[in-house]
Amino acid sequence: MTAPTLRADFDGLVAPYRRELLVHCYRMMASPHDAEDLVQETLLRAWRAADSFDPDRGSLRTWLYRIATNACLTALASRRSRPLPSGVGARFDDPDTAFVRGPEVPWLIPLPVDPATSAVERDQLRLALVAALQLLPARQRAALLLREVLQLPAAEVAEALGLTTAAVNSALQRARARLADIGGGADTVTGSPTEQRAVVDRYAAAFERADVPAIVRLLAAEVVLEMPPMWNWYVGPEAYAGFMRRVYRTRGRDWRTVPVWANGEAGFTAYLDGEAHSVQLLTVAGGLVVRATVFADPAVVELVGAPPRYSA
């Protein structure tokens, strides 16, 4: 493909890469809105630079990824990364502790993902992994994604990021070590969509019945419960059960659920007294829930396409 060919059929040639560029930008930014904006910025930059495209130096896909990565790095120079509470705050031991809001933090926002999408994409978008990536410096994050997801040679990653090959290899070593230290389920192997949905459906049924013992039977020993934008997060079935008892005691038992999917993981929109309350995503591994992330933000409810009121 030559540069004139690219400019002549730009929309058609870049169309096959739009989705994967969105996934890449989302993993960099942890916000669907930012990712969409940066894909548009990427394509605008690519259109303007179309005459400089050189197929001898790499494929169109690689060229677009370079542009997208640098667009993300530019954006991150003036924006804070979007973590989850378990990555940046101390855990809470008392499930009855008052809620502590964290409006000062731009929290991770989930990305709706069709369960029929590829296993590779679902794996790349797992909440724990995306959240862990946000704890890396921006250039380490970019180097890791370009090297291990796009599988570019270290020399090409260096060229894309304006670094030396040695600097890229050093950044990769530090990024891998940091991810290993973070843990938190970033390397968890989740079940198939069918396996996930079966466990989440059982959880949702117990949730609607306010059946705390049934919920606990579905939890892993080190299960994590977190609720951005609250700082409160908990570890283990005992704290989880205590928190759920608090929910039913203070908010009542008139809960209904509607299935949703986001970040390659099954979940549901929870409705309290018929009104949308939260989007709850459950990470399932080995037939048990290892993480529950509750997004009590009306914008997230709207993002996943859930109606504001429950309809049976």
Side-chain angles (χ1 to χ4, degrees):
M1 182 196 308
T2 63
T5 301
L6 172 59
R7 188 174 289 282
D9 188 21
F10 184 82
D11 288 344
L13 290 169
V14 302
Y17 306 112
R18 282 179 178 267
R19 177 65 189 180
E20 60 181 282
L21 287 172
L22 177 69
V23 169
H24 178 65
C25 292
Y26 175 75
R27 288 175 53 137
M28 285 290 294
M29 307 300 298
S31 163
H33 313 296
D34 290 348
E36 289 279 5
D37 290 346
L38 285 162
V39 169
Q40 295 306 314
E41 173 67 18
T42 295
L43 297 181
L44 179 60
R45 290 187 186 189
W47 166 256
R48 289 172 174 168
D51 290 340
S52 67
F53 171 65
D54 183 355
D56 292 333
R57 295 182 60 193
S59 68
L60 175 60
R61 178 173 180 260
T62 299
W63 185 67
L64 290 171
Y65 266 89
R66 288 174 180 163
I67 297 172
T69 301
N70 282 285
C72 290
L73 290 173
T74 299
L76 286 167
S78 59
R79 304 181 203 180
R80 296 170 62 188
S81 294
R82 292 178 172 271
L84 286 173
S86 60
V88 290
R91 81 181 195 186
F92 286 57
D93 294 321
D94 182 358
D96 288 314
T97 299
F99 285 117
V100 180
R101 296 188 63 86
E104 72 281 7
V105 179
W107 298 108
L108 181 152
I109 302 172
L111 177 70
V113 176
D114 189 317
T117 194
S118 72
V120 171
E121 179 175 314
R122 292 197 310 273
D123 183 67
Q124 291 177 359
L125 289 172
R126 290 176 293 113
L127 271 179
L129 178 57
V130 175
L133 288 170
Q134 305 313 300
L135 304 181
L136 300 177
R139 287 194 178 273
Q140 285 186 25
R141 193 184 318 168
L144 188 72
L145 292 176
L146 291 176
R147 185 73 181 93
E148 298 198 348
V149 177
L150 192 58
Q151 297 185 332
L152 287 181
E156 290 191 31
V157 175
E159 181 181 358
L161 299 180
L163 301 171
T164 64
T165 300
V168 166
N169 288 330
S170 177
L172 288 170
Q173 185 176 15
R174 293 196 302 273
R176 291 166 182 150
R178 176 64 174 140
L179 287 181
D181 288 341
I182 293 167
D187 58 352
T188 297
V189 178
T190 56
S192 70
T194 301
E195 293 167 336
Q196 291 187 55
R197 178 50 65 191
V199 173
V200 173
D201 283 350
R202 292 199 297 274
Y203 181 103
F207 179 83
E208 290 186 347
R209 297 194 309 268
D211 187 344
V212 175
I215 290 174
V216 169
R217 287 194 291 272
L218 293 169
L219 304 179
E222 296 297 319
V223 64
V224 171
L225 169 64
E226 55 191 330
M227 301 154 281
M230 304 300 175
W231 280 105
N232 307 53
W233 66 281
Y234 303 94
V235 176
E238 183 177 351
Y240 200 119
F243 184 82
M244 294 308 301
R245 286 192 291 268
R246 170 188 179 180
V247 168
Y248 296 127
R249 183 176 67 248
T250 60
R251 304 305 300 274
R253 296 173 173 242
D254 186 16
W255 294 89
R256 296 292 183 270
T257 63
V258 174
V260 299
W261 287 88
N263 289 76
E265 297 178 332
F268 54 85
T269 302
Y271 292 82
L272 175 61
D273 298 326
E275 299 286 342
H277 172 272
S278 56
V279 171
Q280 306 192 20
L281 299 181
L282 307 184
T283 302
V284 175
L288 295 172
V289 175
V290 299
R291 176 182 294 267
T293 309
V294 180
F295 297 92
D297 181 345
V300 175
V301 173
E302 182 179 358
L303 182 67
V304 300
R309 290 194 55 82
Y310 177 76
S311 177

